[in-house]
């Protein structure tokens, strides 16, 4: 009930409704759009209200349907640990739109959402040494499709600003490469990654939602980790469309509309996400 919901027609046609949804993304990192039609152009129409759609190696819009010859996890029926998408890029996607097209009843595939800022705070409070490791020691992520792409980056799992506040999260267990650290530190680094994973998987840290056709789940990919439970693809088709936007474009839209609807908020410094 705490997730803010906004009607498709309002957001498409009214700038004030659009600003309300952008404010929810700023404050909570996640919100939901309802009443969204299922045509391909509607995915791009609603996402385009927030900024230019970012084209990746999977195109502008990616159809997630389970298939035997899956190239990525989104095309499987397996459970997925909550993660951020594409941490292997120098600049990961800023915001992600999941548009539900077809979801079979009682087939599984429940969406799992975790506030990465909350996970970081728990580590800072309970295991400060491990927290410091994930803010100061580079972790390597990569993704390779043989003969097509090979992405690799070394970056912090938890990014901080100049004042020490958390500004972004970068984590995906499926993209972790072999890690390097000075002798005597590698065990601590692996333990830090394991503790982060344990907290992400803890049910009390997860928001669960069975997304329905006509809903679009929108979230900050550098704050909110997303995953899902396994599902049975033999019962029904589970079809989601996904597209990405850069965070500077979304934040620009927020500031521009704030000039009109909340001038006092237009100059707010917004958290800048995961940095190297």
């Amino acid at each position: 009930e705490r997730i803010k919901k906004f009607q498709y027609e309002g957001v498409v046609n009214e700038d004030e409704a659009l600003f309300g949804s952008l404010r929810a993304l700023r404050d909570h990192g996640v919100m939901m759009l309802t009443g969204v039609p299922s045509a391909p152009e509607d995915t791009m129409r609603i996402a385009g209200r927030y900024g230019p759609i970012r084209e990746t190696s999977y195109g502008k819009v990616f159809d997630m349907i389970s298939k035997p010859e899956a190239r990525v996890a989104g095309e499987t029926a397996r459970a997925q640990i909550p993660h951020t998408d594409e941490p292997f890029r120098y600049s990961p996607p800023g915001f992600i739109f999941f548009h539900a097209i077809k979801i079979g009843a009682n087939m599984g595939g429940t969406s799992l959402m975790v506030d990465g800022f909350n996970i970081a705070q728990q580590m800072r409070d309970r295991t400060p040494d491990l927290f410091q490791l994930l803010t100061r020691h580079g972790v390597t992520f990569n993704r390779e499709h043989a003969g097509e792409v090979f992405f690799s980056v070394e970056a912090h799992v938890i990014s901080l600003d100049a004042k020490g506040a958390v500004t972004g999260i970068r984590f995906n267990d499926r993209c972790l490469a072999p890690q390097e650290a000075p002798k005597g530190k590698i065990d601590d680094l692996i333990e830090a990654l394991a503790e982060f994973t344990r907290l992400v998987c803890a049910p009390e840290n997860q928001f669960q939602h069975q997304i329905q056709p006509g809903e679009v789940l929108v979230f900050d990919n550098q704050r909110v980790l997303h995953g899902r439970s396994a599902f049975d693809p033999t019962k029904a088709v589970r079809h989601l469309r996904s597209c990405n936007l850069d965070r500077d474009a979304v934040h620009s839209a927020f500031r521009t509309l704030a000039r009109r609807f909340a001038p006092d908020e237009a100059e707010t410094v917004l958290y800048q996400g995961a940095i190297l």
Side-chain angles (χ1 to χ4, degrees):
E1 296 78 16
R2 294 190 305 233
I3 290 224
K4 300 288 186 180
K5 297 181 180 180
F6 301 87
Q7 283 288 329
Y8 168 82
E9 289 295 336
V11 170
V12 164
N13 297 306
E14 302 168 13
D15 285 350
E16 190 166 7
L18 174 62
F19 177 65
S21 67
L22 285 161
R23 183 186 264 160
L25 283 176
R26 177 199 65 181
D27 293 343
H28 307 294
V30 62
M31 61 87 175
M32 189 180 296
L33 300 166
T34 59
V36 184
S38 60
E41 57 268 22
D42 292 304
T43 305
M44 299 185 70
R45 184 183 185 197
I46 189 64
R49 282 286 279 161
Y50 295 81
I53 295 173
R54 175 178 183 173
E55 186 161 8
T56 71
S57 47
Y58 308 112
K60 283 192 172 183
V61 177
F62 178 58
D63 286 283
M64 292 189 289
I65 305 173
S66 65
K67 58 181 68 174
E69 301 296 327
R71 293 177 72 239
V72 295
E75 295 177 325
T76 73
R78 297 192 301 268
Q80 294 182 31
I81 291 174
H83 58 278
T84 65
D85 271 1
E86 307 200 338
F88 44 78
R89 293 183 182 272
Y90 299 139
S91 178
F95 292 85
I96 294 179
F97 288 65
F98 278 171
H99 182 189
I101 308 302
K102 291 182 181 179
I103 304 291
N106 303 315
M107 67 180 293
T110 300
S111 294
L112 310 174
M113 314 294 287
V114 174
D115 187 345
F117 287 10
N118 179 42
I119 300 301
Q121 187 61 48
Q122 289 183 44
M123 289 192 70
R124 179 176 252 164
D125 293 341
R126 301 173 188 175
T127 54
D129 291 345
L130 300 182
F131 171 83
Q132 292 292 342
L133 263 178
L134 296 185
T135 66
R136 295 179 179 177
H137 195 287
V139 170
T140 304
F141 299 93
N142 63 27
R143 164 64 54 82
E144 181 177 9
H145 295 304
E148 298 180 29
V149 297
F150 188 179
F151 299 108
S152 184
V153 70
E154 184 181 76
H156 300 142
V157 170
I158 303 172
S159 295
L160 305 178
D161 64 15
K163 296 179 181 179
V166 176
T167 65
I169 302 293
R170 182 193 297 254
F171 179 78
N172 189 324
D173 64 299
R174 290 176 281 105
C175 301
L176 285 168
Q179 303 300 312
E180 293 186 7
K183 188 175 181 179
K185 284 289 185 181
I186 190 66
D187 288 346
D188 292 338
L189 178 62
I190 297 303
E191 176 57 25
L193 290 168
E195 177 63 12
F196 190 91
T197 305
R198 282 191 287 267
L199 291 171
V200 163
C201 292
E204 63 269 21
N205 289 328
Q206 296 179 347
F207 161 72
Q208 300 188 18
H209 176 68
Q210 184 63 64
I211 192 169
Q212 298 297 320
E215 293 180 342
V216 175
L217 201 56
V218 186
F219 54 94
D220 185 337
N221 182 54
Q222 297 176 30
R223 171 177 176 175
V224 176
L225 298 89
H226 65 284
R228 67 162 188 239
S229 64
F231 64 92
D232 186 350
T234 66
K235 290 185 176 180
V237 172
R238 186 181 190 272
H239 180 190
L240 269 65
R241 283 198 198 99
S242 172
C243 59
N244 304 330
L245 273 69
D246 287 325
R247 70 186 308 99
D248 54 351
V250 175
H251 285 178
S252 173
F254 171 85
R255 296 188 193 97
T256 300
L257 290 174
R259 288 287 191 204
R260 293 166 54 192
F261 300 113
D264 291 345
E265 300 178 31
E267 302 292 341
T268 304
V269 176
L270 305 175
Y271 57 91
Q272 297 178 25
I275 55 179
L276 294 177

